[in-house]
């Protein structure tokens, strides 16, 4: 069986470059680690969003900056996961 398209992994390599998994083994250890990492990243993003919702009305500027930086990181992770999953579903070019 031929390998499918490379899977975009939910972490970056040296210099912030994208990492890919090339394998036809869907249940391999790197694939399972990537699945677990994606789950953690999405969970953290949800928690940050809930925290932002509660905090925004009365937050001081320093706390808003910190929150904005964390939300930016979470959005970056979520978009990477969406891109990876979309490619695996064959819906992105």
């Amino acid at each position: 069986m031929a390998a499918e398209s490379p899977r975009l992994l939910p972490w970056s390599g040296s210099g912030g470059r994208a990492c890919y998994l090339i394998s036809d083994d869907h249940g391999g250890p790197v694939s399972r680690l990537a699945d677990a990492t994606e789950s953690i990243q999405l969970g953290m993003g949800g928690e940050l969003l809930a925290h932002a919702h509660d905090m925004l009305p009365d937050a001081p500027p320093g706390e808003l900056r910190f929150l904005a930086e964390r939300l930016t990181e979470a959005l970056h992770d979520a978009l990477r996961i969406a891109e990876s999953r979309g490619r695996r579903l064959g819906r992105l070019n």
Side-chain angles (χ1 to χ4, degrees), residues 4-71:
E4 293 183 18
S5 298
R7 175 181 179 174
L8 177 63
L9 295 171
W11 52 77
S12 298
S14 61
R17 296 175 58 159
C19 290
Y20 294 90
L21 173 62
I22 300 171
S23 173
D24 58 2
D25 182 9
H26 297 291
V30 176
S31 182
R32 288 192 310 271
L33 177 61
D35 290 343
T37 301
E38 288 177 351
S39 179
I40 290 167
Q41 289 173 329
L42 290 173
M44 288 173 53
E47 290 176 17
L48 276 168
L49 185 58
H51 180 66
H53 184 266
D54 293 341
M55 182 180 162
L56 283 175
D58 303 313
E63 290 182 25
L64 287 176
R65 178 178 176 87
F66 179 79
L67 179 61
E69 289 170 351
R70 301 298 76 78
L71 286 170

